[in-house]
Amino acid sequence: MASITIRNLPDSILSRIRTISELEKRSLNSELLLLIERGLSVETERVKESSMISKESQIKLWESLSGEWEDERSTSEIIDDIYAARTMGRDINL
């Protein structure tokens, strides 16, 4: 496992982490790992939610693109190109 060094950690934060670790009867290292894990969980959800586009916004984006596509190929040629560009997927059993 990797190790890290945290520089410039304010004394007030270290003191709070020490207090929690003592109250929870965990080592300082275990408490830090738990706090990082919890913080990452919350932050991951926040980032995921903020990067998601609402259904209404998706519809507006698609509507704004509707009718804007220009291509010299026929519909059949476009479809053939799409199929030709596909790769074989994995085998699945239903």
Side-chain angles (χ1 to χ4, degrees), residues 39-94:
L40 281 173
S41 185
V42 169
E43 190 64 15
T44 301
E45 271 305 306
R46 186 194 65 76
V47 168
K48 189 175 13 171
E49 287 175 6
S50 69
S51 65
M52 292 176 59
I53 299 174
S54 70
K55 184 177 179 180
E56 294 77 20
S57 295
Q58 288 178 0
I59 291 170
K60 286 180 183 177
L61 286 170
W62 282 111
E63 285 175 346
S64 71
L65 293 173
S66 177
E68 296 295 321
W69 183 272
E70 293 181 18
D71 202 312
E72 309 244 338
R73 299 172 293 169
S74 69
T75 304
S76 295
E77 290 172 318
I78 294 171
I79 292 170
D80 290 342
D81 287 346
I82 291 170
Y83 279 116
R86 288 185 176 175
T87 59
M88 292 298 296
R90 62 181 179 182
D91 291 330
I92 58 168
N93 295 317
L94 299 177

Side-chain angles (χ1 to χ4, degrees), residues 11-28:
D11 291 335
S12 60
I13 291 177
L14 182 57
S15 175
R16 290 167 54 195
I17 296 170
R18 277 197 176 122
T19 300
I20 294 170
S21 70
E22 289 171 10
L23 290 171
E24 297 295 329
K25 308 223 184 302
R26 288 190 277 263
S27 69
L28 186 59

